């Protein structure tokens, strides 16, 4: 199958890469660009382990073709070093095996950017797109609340 060279903007860097038209962004990030933070889980959009951020929105990179990312701003968990949510995941021990953690951090980071006043209801709704098999969601919710600039208790 033929490949095409495309330019992707990832974590504020331009990266040139040869991709097949059918390659998912998850595959290209991990196998071609050595960005292994996004994890393969279900590969069908259910688990959220592969979540990245595209133009400000959380996206499941197993459902997106790499060529669709052309001309968009992509952020992976490698680009979120020392952000409030990354720090709070560590502070609140919001992980066990850690396999799902990059996806959760990406999703929670987007929540904080979009809804700095999020309450409990918004947080619970937002977390439904990601699945963790081994830690409690309570620690993850605590990490979000600690990282939210204007957290409001829900009613
Ligand atoms: S691997 Fe993408 S949602 Fe599960
Ligand atoms: S911490 Fe292990 S799957 Fe979530």
């Amino acid at each position: 199958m033929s490949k095409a060279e495309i330019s992707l903007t990832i974590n504020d860097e331009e990266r040139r890469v040869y991709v097949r038209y059918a390659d998912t962004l998850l595959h290209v990030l991990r196998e071609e660009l050595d960005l292994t933070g996004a994890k393969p889980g279900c590969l069908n959009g259910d688990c959220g382990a592969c979540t990245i951020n595209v133009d400000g929105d959380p996206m499941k990179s197993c459902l997106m073709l790499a060529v669709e990312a052309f001309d968009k701003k992509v952020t992976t968990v490698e680009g979120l070093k020392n952000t409030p949510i990354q720090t709070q995941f560590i502070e609140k021990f919001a992980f066990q095996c850690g396999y799902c953690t990059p996806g959760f951090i990406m999703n929670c980071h987007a929540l904080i950017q979009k809804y700095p006043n999020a309450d409990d209801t918004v947080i619970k709704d937002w977390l439904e797109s990601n699945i963790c098999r081994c830690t409690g969601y309570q620690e993850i919710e605590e990490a979000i609340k600690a990282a939210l600039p204007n957290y409001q208790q829900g009613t």
Side-chain angles (χ1 to χ4, degrees):
M1 196 185 295
S2 63
K3 288 188 169 187
E5 185 181 22
I6 60 171
S7 172
L8 300 174
T9 304
I10 302 177
N11 301 331
D12 295 323
E13 280 182 33
E14 184 184 339
R15 305 288 301 267
R16 301 192 72 81
V17 63
Y18 285 93
V19 302
R20 295 180 180 87
Y21 293 115
D23 283 341
T24 64
L25 185 53
L26 175 63
H27 172 84
V28 169
L29 288 171
R30 292 180 57 83
E31 307 301 330
E32 306 293 337
L33 296 172
D34 206 25
L35 292 166
T36 55
K39 297 287 186 271
C42 63
L43 299 181
N44 63 15
D46 289 329
C47 75
C50 66
T51 304
I52 57 165
N53 194 296
V54 179
D55 283 348
D57 292 317
M59 295 288 295
K60 291 171 177 173
S61 59
C62 70
L63 296 182
M64 184 171 178
L65 297 176
V67 292
E68 293 180 280
F70 175 73
D71 215 19
K72 295 186 166 63
K73 184 175 159 59
V74 174
T75 305
T76 68
V77 75
E78 288 87 350
L80 294 191
K81 282 183 188 151
N82 301 321
T83 52
I85 190 63
Q86 190 221 29
T87 303
Q88 289 303 327
F89 260 70
I90 297 166
E91 292 284 321
K92 306 296 181 195
F93 300 103
F95 50 84
Q96 282 186 24
C97 80
Y99 196 82
C100 71
T101 306
F104 268 100
I105 290 176
M106 294 306 302
N107 196 32
C108 297
H109 181 73
L111 166 65
I112 290 166
Q113 305 305 307
K114 286 178 176 291
Y115 300 102
N117 299 310
D119 60 13
D120 288 357
T121 304
V122 174
I123 292 169
K124 283 189 191 308
D125 284 352
W126 199 262
L127 290 181
E128 283 186 1
S129 65
N130 291 59
I131 296 170
C132 175
R133 293 185 176 202
C134 62
T135 194
Y137 285 71
Q138 185 181 338
E139 292 87 352
I140 295 171
E141 290 176 15
E142 286 174 8
I144 296 172
K145 291 171 186 176
L148 274 170
N150 306 312
Y151 170 67
Q152 294 176 352
Q153 188 72 36
T155 55

